Amino acid sequence: DSGVTQTPKHLITATGQRVTLRCSPRSGDLSVYWYQQSLDQGLQFLIQYYNGEERAKGNILERFSAQQFPDLHSELNLSSLELGDSALYFCASSEEAGGLAKNIQYFGAGTRLSVL
Amino acid sequence: AQTVTQSQPEMSVQEAETVTLSCTYDTSENNYYLFWYKQPPSRQMILVIRQEAYKQQNATENRFSVNFQKAAKSFSLKISDSQLGDTAMYFCAFRGATNKLIFGTGTLLAVQP
């Protein structure tokens, strides 16, 4: 068990809908990262938050947004869903924001999103 | 931009044998980290081993070791005494100054009894 908790484990929804994925980081970790794993795109970095502030952005669509709350949990919001958004969404957490410190990212079990 | 390449989509090894998974990367940065993550059928991403680029000594973790060749930008994973539980997808990943992980496409390893 990595200590990173993601809910729900599975989500089935229809095109055009909006969903929220939730992540609780490991105790003491201030950084949260979101990744998308799909068959055609592989594993891609979406966005990073550090202590409530957005720190880095990757290939995240404008229909997607995220935030990190004062208790450090994070939510990834996906709206106007399309069939191509079906994927496994991972949250990871680490102690620090970045730099070259020993900053290992520990992953949650993921949320499998199916858009029908 | 950094890239990570895993040229072996699938590999197979007999139980108790040794197998090496290949990974190459491209970067202009001098200081960075390299990782191998394992993704078993459960889909959980599990850190196997990490290497700091400024360390010349290759990292080892029990049956797992790496061969890090900085000049060649090569980072292979050796699994000794393979076990059935090693069956998984293995991802090589790079982390530089931006802190995001950049993953390769993965190698699916099957350990045969």
Side-chain angles (χ1 to χ4, degrees):
Chain A
D1 184 2
S2 67
V4 179
T5 304
Q6 287 189 250
T7 56
K9 284 189 169 50
H10 303 279
L11 204 46
I12 302 173
T13 188
T15 54
Q17 295 299 305
R18 172 189 167 94
V19 296
T20 298
L21 282 53
R22 183 188 169 99
C23 169
S24 293
R26 293 187 325 151
S27 177
D29 284 358
L30 298 178
S31 262
V32 169
Y33 312 77
W34 287 96
Y35 292 86
Q36 179 196 58
Q37 184 177 29
S38 62
L39 284 174
D40 53 344
Q41 300 286 337
L43 263 162
Q44 287 199 98
F45 168 76
L46 295 178
I47 197 164
Q48 177 200 359
Y49 276 80
Y50 174 74
N51 204 20
E53 300 289 327
E54 182 183 304
R55 182 56 66 103
K57 222 171 196 178
N59 298 324
I60 188 166
L61 299 171
E62 285 191 14
R63 301 182 286 108
F64 296 1
S65 65
Q67 54 185 327
Q68 187 179 26
F69 295 86
D71 67 352
L72 301 177
H73 91 272
S74 177
E75 293 180 357
L76 179 67
N77 300 296
L78 315 177
S79 61
S80 302
L81 285 167
E82 303 175 359
L83 296 177
D85 298 327
S86 295
L88 189 54
Y89 291 85
F90 283 108
C91 168
S93 74
S94 70
E95 291 179 18
E96 298 172 21
L100 291 170
K102 186 177 68 176
N103 203 17
I104 298 169
Q105 294 181 29
Y106 294 94
F107 283 74
T111 292
R112 178 165 293 285
L113 174 66
S114 298
V115 182
L116 305 179
Chain B
Q2 293 90 355
T3 57
V4 177
T5 302
Q6 294 179 251
S7 58
Q8 305 154 314
E10 295 184 26
M11 292 194 73
S12 181
V13 64
Q14 292 296 124
E15 203 174 0
E17 296 293 309
T18 295
V19 65
T20 299
L21 310 183
S22 301
C23 173
T24 59
Y25 59 95
D26 190 25
T27 183
S28 58
E29 297 181 36
N30 194 45
N31 293 322
Y32 47 87
Y33 284 83
L34 294 163
F35 304 85
W36 280 97
Y37 279 88
K38 165 185 176 180
Q39 188 177 38
S42 67
R43 296 294 190 176
Q44 177 79 48
M45 292 289 287
I46 302 165
L47 178 65
V48 174
I49 197 166
R50 72 176 184 274
Q51 175 78 41
E52 296 155 75
Y54 60 88
K55 287 190 176 178
Q56 290 187 337
Q57 187 173 4
N58 289 324
T60 61
E61 288 286 343
N62 300 313
R63 298 182 295 106
F64 299 87
S65 61
V66 298
N67 183 4
F68 173 50
Q69 302 288 329
K70 191 172 184 180
K73 293 179 181 167
S74 170
F75 182 60
S76 61
L77 174 70
K78 186 170 83 170
I79 306 174
S80 304
D81 185 26
S82 296
Q83 300 175 359
L84 295 178
D86 295 333
T87 292
M89 183 73 88
Y90 287 81
F91 290 96
C92 178
F94 170 98
R95 178 171 75 79
T98 61
N99 205 42
K100 65 181 181 182
L101 287 170
I102 299 169
F103 289 91
T105 51
T107 296
L108 182 60
L109 176 67
V111 180
Q112 307 292 343

